Amino acid sequence: AQSVTQLDSQVPVFEEAPVELRCNYSSSVSVYLFWYVQYPNQGLQLLLKYLSGSTLVKGINGFEAEFNKSQTSFHLRKPSVHISDTAEYFCAVSSGSARQLTFGSGTQLTVLP
Amino acid sequence: DTAVSQTPKYLVTQMGNDKSIKCEQNLGHDTMYWYKQDSKKFLKIMFSYNNKELIINETVPNRFSPKSPDKAHLNLHINSLELGDSAVYFCASSQGVRVGETQYFGPGTRLLVL
């Protein structure tokens, strides 16, 4: 069985400050990890994903994430956030023969002026 | 030229009614999905179709019936609507069913049952 835990439900941060959104996963087999972003009243959009290879993955809008197998984590980072980054961020996992994505509960990132 | 579109965007209806939500994708993908997002933003898979064949059918009341007339469309029909069905329903599609495929989401249908 696969599961995802997003430890922070809300993260407020000031504009131009760095941010890290935490994600831990649970799976007994190899995993594929995703971060999606949901802007207000919109659908989800892929930010980045890890399938294999380099553990540091770069995505859109200046975001990056690092896959850490020993800590079963896939934290999302951005060195300097903008007001426009205010959104809900979802971590998701797909593993083994599972055809579906399992999503975390989401982290609301609010960027303050 | 929206990639994954859903209609309607908003749906307000009374308990006991039957309603349908439509989804279309113009990406040429083989696989489509329905997700339910509850009031706490928790997102859960309901169904998935690959080439018009049902491949994922999670524990969902049988009042919910998906239908895929062709690869580009996946509709969701809900009978005898209940208060607990109020949620945002997202359609998504992916190229195929390989693990690790990116899913592309529609804008959502906000259903409110009164």
Side-chain angles (χ1 to χ4, degrees):
Chain A
Q2 56 190 34
S3 66
V4 176
T5 302
Q6 290 184 245
L7 297 162
D8 307 300
S9 60
Q10 297 196 26
V11 173
V13 63
F14 286 108
E15 196 174 14
E16 297 183 10
V19 71
E20 178 180 82
L21 306 183
R22 297 182 292 169
C23 172
N24 286 89
Y25 67 89
S26 171
S27 173
S28 57
V29 295
S30 58
V31 295
Y32 304 91
L33 293 154
F34 304 76
W35 276 100
Y36 279 84
V37 61
Q38 184 181 22
Y39 297 105
N41 296 316
Q42 293 187 29
L44 280 73
Q45 177 185 359
L46 182 70
L47 270 180
L48 49 80
K49 65 180 179 181
Y50 170 78
L51 301 182
S52 64
S54 173
T55 56
L56 184 63
V57 181
K58 293 193 183 297
I60 61 171
N61 301 339
F63 284 93
E64 63 181 30
E66 186 154 20
F67 171 60
N68 188 320
K69 189 174 181 179
S70 62
Q71 296 187 7
T72 60
S73 67
F74 190 55
H75 301 333
L76 181 71
R77 301 185 185 101
K78 186 169 182 178
S80 175
V81 293
H82 303 292
I83 298 284
S84 59
D85 292 323
T86 294
E88 190 87 22
Y89 290 79
F90 291 93
C91 182
V93 64
S94 178
S95 61
S97 61
R99 292 170 170 171
Q100 67 250 43
L101 285 176
T102 297
F103 284 87
S105 53
T107 297
Q108 172 64 45
L109 173 65
T110 301
V111 181
L112 307 165
Chain B
D1 47 333
T2 306
V4 182
S5 59
Q6 296 178 226
T7 53
K9 284 191 76 172
Y10 299 95
L11 187 52
V12 182
T13 188
Q14 301 285 333
M15 261 195 325
N17 284 350
D18 303 337
K19 290 293 178 186
S20 290
I21 307 172
K22 295 186 176 182
C23 178
E24 177 181 0
Q25 54 95 3
N26 62 7
L27 297 168
H29 287 169
D30 288 339
T31 310
M32 296 184 74
Y33 310 80
W34 276 112
Y35 286 88
K36 179 180 179 180
Q37 186 177 48
D38 64 22
S39 57
K40 294 183 179 176
K41 300 275 181 94
F42 187 65
L43 201 66
K44 190 160 189 241
I45 183 90
M46 298 173 72
F47 303 103
S48 177
Y49 272 74
N50 183 57
N51 281 321
K52 300 194 300 174
E53 181 186 339
L54 182 65
I55 57 170
I56 294 174
N57 186 357
E58 290 296 296
T59 308
V60 175
N62 57 15
R63 298 182 293 104
F64 290 78
S65 52
K67 281 192 173 54
S68 182
D70 55 59
K71 282 196 323 182
H73 296 85
L74 179 62
N75 304 324
L76 183 66
H77 188 76
I78 316 171
N79 288 326
S80 303
L81 277 156
E82 299 178 357
L83 295 177
D85 298 332
S86 296
V88 184
Y89 292 85
F90 286 101
C91 177
S93 73
S94 63
Q95 182 66 56
V97 295
R98 289 176 304 172
V99 180
E101 294 263 13
T102 297
Q103 293 184 21
Y104 296 82
F105 284 76
T109 295
R110 283 145 187 84
L111 171 64
L112 177 61
V113 182
L114 302 175

